[in-house]
Structures are given as C-alpha cells and as structure tokens.
Amino acid sequence: MTCVEPLGAAARESNVSQARDRPQTPVLPFGASSIDEAAKAIGSGQCVAAPSETVYGLFADATNAAAVAGIYAAKGRPSFNPLIVHVTDLAAAERIAQFDDTARDLARRFWPGPLTIVLPLRPEAGIATLVTAGLDTIALRVPAHRACQALLRRTGKPLAGPSANRSNSISPTRAAHVAASLDGRIALIIDDGPTAVGLESTIVHKGRVLRPGPLSELELFPTANDDPRTADIVDPARVVAPGQLASHYAPRKPLRIAAAHADHNEWMIGFGPMRCDDNLSVTGDLIEAAANLFEALHRADASSTLRIAIAPIPTRGIGLAINDRLRRAATKPSNLRYEDN
C-alpha cells in the first residue's frame, strides 16, 4: 500500500485558505426568499440561474448591457450569438417587438410555453445591443415555469436567459448540472427540481422553424402545405437566433450517433429495449427520451469510459428535435462519428 506523507501545518493552512477563498455559488430552494435574493442580484447587474420548463436558464436584466456582458463572460459565449429574452406575457412582448398576425397567433396558442419567436425589435424597447448581437430582431419567449414567472414579476424586467451552462456544453436540466458548469461564475442558483421538458424551446422566425424543439412543425403550422418550413443550420456569420451555432450542446467526449451497439470503451445510451449503460426510454417513448436526453449525456460525460455512443432515434415528432441536438453535439471534428452501416 502506498502512503502519502501528511502535509505540514503551513501547507494544510494554505490549502484551507485556498478552499475558503475559492468562490462558490449558493444553491437555494425555490421560494419567496430565494426569488427575492435572485431579484436583488439581478437588480445589481448580476446573473442568476433558475429553472424553466425547458432547461435551467442563466438570467440577467436584458436592458443592462453590463449585466448581459456578464452572461457572455460566465458562459464563454461567442459574441455573435444572440440571447432569448423572457417576458411575463404577450403584452410585455409587444412592448419590445413588432408582431404580425402569424406571430400573434402563435403566441396566443403556445404562450406561456416552450416556443421562442424571432421578431423585429422596437427601437424604443431599451434592450441592450449585446442581447441581439447587433441584429434588428429579437428572440422572445413567455415561460410557463413558476420560478421564471416569479423572477420576471419580482424584477419587473425582461430577462435575457440562455441555458445555464458553459457555451457549447450540455444543457442543464437540474441545479446540480448548473453548479458543475458555472459554480463561482454566477451569483446564485435557484433549485426547483428537474425540468419537465428537458429540451430547449422551439424557435420560429417568419413562419419557419429555426431550431426544432418540444413543439413540432405540425403543431405550430397545421395548415402548412408540403413546403419544408425548417430552416437549414446557418453559418455563424448569418446567425439570426439563439441555438443556431452548429456546434452546441456538446459533451466533452467523442460522440457516435445512430449506434447499434457499444464499441470498446464506449458508454452506450439506448432507446427502446436493448443492452446499454443508460436508456432514454425503454418503451421507445420520444417525449420521455427528450426529457432524459441532456441528463443522460451528463451521466455519460461523467463516466469512466472514453467515448459515448447513442442508439438511433426515430425522426418523427419531437424525435426531430432530439436528432437535431445530437447532430450539433457531434459537430466538433473530434466528436463526429457515424455508424458505419
């Protein structure tokens, strides 16, 4: 057995001091007092994390440029990628953006909920330029989650709120995921349990789906003709909405998608009845799979294996959004591997 010589008193004191000095982000259970604390932090220009029905978001005052810069700094986010702004209701959204009949109809049918609409920004809205990355459009959402709504009401501000994780890493569906990614980089985290949907919102712009999500194209546009309405992934120079960067939601380990089985030293994420280390849905339920996706990727990334493999996911309904996230997770050249047959 190998023994390690005990640290001397001075070394022990130095280590204790360093641990004491290391910043830690408090995690508070959802409630009136934690919302008050979060609102105070936002009012002083800081960033806080809180759950929405989709994933945990990193929120700051969308009218405060320095606060918004704090989001980019905490996430290490590219400055050309715009942020989603959360508001309490449609009336608040209409004070910020110009709605046409199609957008207003979508808002009335799906807000509050996991739908983000990209709209022309009103010049008088007072939104920080950093939020829109200098574009003349803004991405707006009315969340359904009680923590988001409480925070919006308590601050009285539109809140910029991307997912609460380092940029290009796996989106968080639990407070612990946020802490693992952003501890010491933000003011506080509100914990209200796992998110219900577990997948980022669907984004639409001018009647087209820019990012697939929990709401399908058929739900959004039930009377559409056979013309495809889902936009292709654009290059960064033409990003018009959050989540359009090709490399997004990525684990640290190489990811092989559409895999029938695990290769050596791979953590296998299954779908349906099969041999695997983890399973998105044993019964093949796509809604359950979407809710479990990011948590499964977090577990795979934390495992002792060197690589990750994930089973084929059907490309129907919300399965389109799951496959979209998986393709983005595997877009880094070092990550991308497809099943050979």
Side-chain angles (χ1 to χ4, degrees), residues 196-273:
V197 177
L199 201 66
E200 297 90 346
S201 61
T202 304
I203 300 180
V204 300
H205 179 224
K206 294 183 177 179
R208 299 183 72 85
V209 175
L210 295 185
R211 181 179 72 183
L215 296 170
S216 71
E217 181 182 331
L218 187 60
E219 289 174 282
L220 294 166
F221 308 108
T223 60
N225 57 26
D226 291 335
D227 256 357
R229 286 174 169 261
T230 302
D232 293 332
I233 301 300
V234 299
D235 73 58
R238 295 174 54 232
V239 168
V240 298
Q244 282 193 285
L245 289 180
S247 179
H248 214 54
Y249 326 109
R252 295 185 302 273
K253 297 176 180 178
L255 174 64
R256 184 165 64 99
I257 62 179
H261 53 79
D263 286 346
H264 177 65
N265 227 333
E266 281 186 330
W267 179 274
M268 183 70 200
I269 300 174
F271 178 78

Side-chain angles (χ1 to χ4, degrees), residues 111-202:
W111 280 356
L115 174 67
T116 295
I117 308 175
V118 179
L119 298 158
L121 175 67
R122 292 186 183 277
E124 71 276 13
I127 298 296
T129 304
L130 269 178
V131 169
T132 62
L135 301 171
D136 58 4
T137 55
I138 187 167
L140 292 175
R141 184 163 94 85
V142 175
H145 197 284
R146 63 179 184 172
C148 271
Q149 281 289 341
L151 197 54
L152 286 163
R153 290 193 298 270
R154 187 68 180 81
T155 60
K157 296 284 188 179
L159 298 179
S163 57
N165 56 287
R166 297 301 300 272
S167 195
N168 295 336
S169 62
I170 307 167
S171 295
T173 57
R174 293 178 181 269
H177 299 160
V178 181
S181 184
L182 296 177
D183 187 36
R185 304 178 69 88
I186 60 177
L188 65 88
I189 301 167
I190 294 177
D191 185 355
D192 199 19
T195 58
V197 177
L199 201 66
E200 297 90 346
S201 61
T202 304

Side-chain angles (χ1 to χ4, degrees), residues 259-262 267-279 311:
H261 53 79
W267 179 274
M268 183 70 200
I269 300 174
F271 178 78
M274 63 181 296
R275 291 185 61 182
C276 54
D277 299 292
D278 205 344
N279 203 306

